[in-house]
Amino acid sequence: MFIRTDITSLPLGRRLAQDIYSFDGQLLMSKGRVLQESHLQQLLQRGYDYIYILEDENKDDMHESQISEGSGFKSLTNEQLPKAFSTSVESMRQMMDRVSSGHMIKTDEVEECIDLIYDHVLQTYNVFKHLQDLRNKDEYTLQHSVSVGVLSIKIGQSLGLDADKLKNLGVAGILHDVGKSMISLDIINKPGPLDASEFQEVQKHPVYGYQIVNEIKLGDHNIAQAVLQHHEHQDGNGYPLGVRGDKINCFARIIAVADVFDALTSDRPYRSRMPLLQAADIIVKSSCGQLDPLASRRLISYILDITTGEKVILSTGEEATVILKNEVDPARPLVRIGERFLDLKTSRDIFIKGFVS
Ligand SMILES: [Fe+2]
């Protein structure tokens, strides 16, 4: 059985019920093709309004099953990643407490932390759907550490890193701020801006972290190097070493992107979290000088993919659906409000205030 559907209803992950030919008779897409965003964009650009798709076999959890079909991810219930995330944050808390009280971290503690989340992160398409609320329920440093591990794995996954490297990258992401456990909590949790001496103290955390991680026998030297270098900038203006470009460790370059993005999209005492697309905009700008351009591009692509089809609230108060992503100016996609389309690229006075959760 098949049904007719408008392309703008974004039937992502659904299967085509018949072959589609171009106007000059060339086969564009074969029957049975699982529809991805790029296919729908291609059809829209060629002037197609509707297509025929096979009837959905599983209507109850369409989004998850769409992803399963489209990219080979296993179907997951919505609870698995948040639960794994919470348990990993708890393990992280114990680890940080041990370091603060002068103990060494054990290898199996680190392995437990990453093993708890690793498979779930790989198999979950839109990690933000599950993490956004949860991320702000715990102490910032703890939830931020695990979130950076999660995002680093997502970036590494899209860069095609092999399984061993990907897991070690996740470990480095989780441990990137472990050096903060050596700094006074009054400074770490200070709600306002830091003064010069406090800032100087905070800037020591990559070196403290390197010393801590070096004591653990983790096998991959990239982990300790990434912890040491995650605040280095492409233009050499970072700290603690001031190294630049390709001289910065490959894990550190990925973690730096994840670190900035997670900080932007988290609630902080002095500002509210930024919507994902606005934060992607900042990453675009930061990739000229501060952040690694390739790792930045991979994260932006991921954010653009997972936000297409999502509902947003505009500055006008209207609810809209993101229809077509904008690679150059991520916060300004084409959106649909009811039956009307609005291109935020040209309607510069209107912006996205946030996503409908
Ligand atoms: Fe840091």
Side-chain angles (χ1 to χ4, degrees):
M1 289 294 290
F2 57 87
I3 47 173
R4 176 180 151 152
T5 185
D6 286 342
I7 291 175
T8 52
S9 71
L10 292 176
L12 292 168
R14 303 294 294 274
R15 288 184 188 279
L16 271 179
Q18 55 185 206
D19 293 336
I20 297 181
Y21 291 90
S22 66
F23 296 118
D24 56 2
Q26 280 187 323
L27 180 65
L28 290 177
M29 281 171 215
S30 305
K31 177 181 172 182
R33 166 72 58 92
V34 178
L35 292 165
Q36 304 294 320
E37 194 199 338
S38 57
H39 302 136
L40 300 175
Q41 283 193 23
Q42 193 186 339
L43 292 173
L44 274 173
Q45 279 159 7
R46 284 177 176 267
Y48 289 83
D49 296 325
Y50 63 88
I51 47 175
Y52 288 93
I53 55 172
L54 293 171
E55 215 167 36
D56 189 18
E57 311 95 32
N58 179 9
K59 289 178 182 159
D60 292 337
D61 191 6
M62 202 170 81
H63 192 75
E64 292 294 341
S65 66
Q66 285 165 351
I67 301 314
S68 302
E69 284 185 54
S71 45
F73 292 126
K74 290 176 201 164
S75 193
L76 286 170
T77 64
N78 288 355
E79 289 77 39
Q80 283 175 302
L81 182 59
K83 200 170 161 197
F85 186 89
S86 298
T87 318
S88 189
V89 166
E90 203 39 57
S91 301
M92 190 69 202
R93 186 194 314 278
Q94 287 168 15
M95 226 158 61
M96 296 284 257
D97 286 349
R98 282 173 55 80
V99 178
S100 313
S101 53
H103 294 91
M104 263 177 59
I105 297 177
K106 295 176 191 157
T107 313
D108 55 358
E109 281 180 306
V110 179
E111 283 170 356
E112 182 188 282
C113 238
I114 190 71
D115 286 344
L116 282 164
I117 58 164
Y118 183 71
D119 285 341
H120 299 303
V121 175
L122 285 190
Q123 293 165 15
T124 303
Y125 179 58
N126 184 347
V127 290
F128 289 97
K129 219 163 199 144
H130 308 296
L131 298 185
Q132 195 71 290
D133 292 332
L134 214 142
R135 289 192 310 163
N136 299 305
K137 286 183 184 158
D138 229 305
E139 288 162 53
Y140 178 71
T141 304
L142 295 175
Q143 60 83 13
H144 173 68
S145 298
V146 181
S147 291
V148 169
V150 168
L151 292 183
S152 299
I153 292 171
K154 276 297 175 205
I155 299 171
Q157 197 178 10
S158 74
L159 285 165
L161 297 191
D162 66 42
D164 283 347
K165 279 264 177 280
L166 206 50
K167 206 164 194 177
N168 287 333
L169 172 64
V171 170
I174 283 181
L175 291 178
H176 79 287
D177 269 347
V178 72
K180 286 189 176 171
S181 55
M182 305 299 285
I183 296 171
S184 154
L185 278 177
D186 293 340
I187 298 179
I188 296 296
N189 295 328
K190 187 174 174 183
L194 302 177
D195 65 31
S197 71
E198 290 166 338
F199 191 57
Q200 228 175 15
E201 181 59 16
V202 167
Q203 285 194 323
K204 292 177 185 165
H205 78 272
V207 175
Y208 292 150
Y210 175 75
Q211 290 163 347
I212 293 163
V213 173
N214 240 351
E215 296 290 321
I216 321 167
K217 302 291 168 236
L218 289 172
D220 188 340
H221 75 282
N222 285 304
I223 299 173
Q225 284 300 327
V227 172
L228 178 66
Q229 297 183 28
H230 72 276
H231 283 289
E232 299 293 355
H233 291 182
Q234 290 291 300
D235 56 12
N237 287 324
Y239 64 90
L241 306 170
V243 284
R244 61 172 68 221
D246 291 350
K247 296 278 184 290
I248 304 172
N249 174 271
C250 56
F251 280 8
R253 284 184 261 154
I254 295 171
I255 289 167
V257 174
D259 187 17
V260 171
F261 191 81
D262 184 70
L264 291 169
T265 54
S266 294
D267 279 324
R268 306 294 293 124
Y270 42 88
R271 60 156 173 79
S272 301
R273 69 187 180 209
M274 203 178 267
L276 298 183
L277 288 174
Q278 267 94 326
D281 233 7
I282 305 276
I283 298 290
V284 170
K285 293 182 177 90
S286 304
S287 65
C288 305
Q290 180 183 339
L291 298 172
D292 179 80
L294 181 58
S296 300
R297 178 45 56 195
R298 293 306 164 102
L299 178 69
I300 293 159
S301 292
Y302 175 63
I303 300 301
L304 289 172
D305 283 345
I306 62 173
T307 49
T308 301
E310 291 297 311
K311 292 207 173 349
V312 292
I313 301 289
L314 300 177
S315 53
T316 55
E318 292 165 297
E319 191 174 299
T321 305
V322 177
I323 297 294
L324 277 182
K325 60 189 176 186
N326 182 342
E327 301 266 0
V328 182
D329 206 350
R332 303 208 148 270
L334 174 76
V335 297
R336 188 183 66 214
I337 309 160
E339 296 302 309
R340 180 165 62 91
F341 288 90
L342 177 71
D343 195 346
L344 296 177
K345 190 168 51 184
T346 46
S347 303
R348 309 293 296 186
D349 53 331
I350 301 173
F351 59 90
I352 293 172
K353 278 180 73 178
F355 284 80
V356 177
S357 49

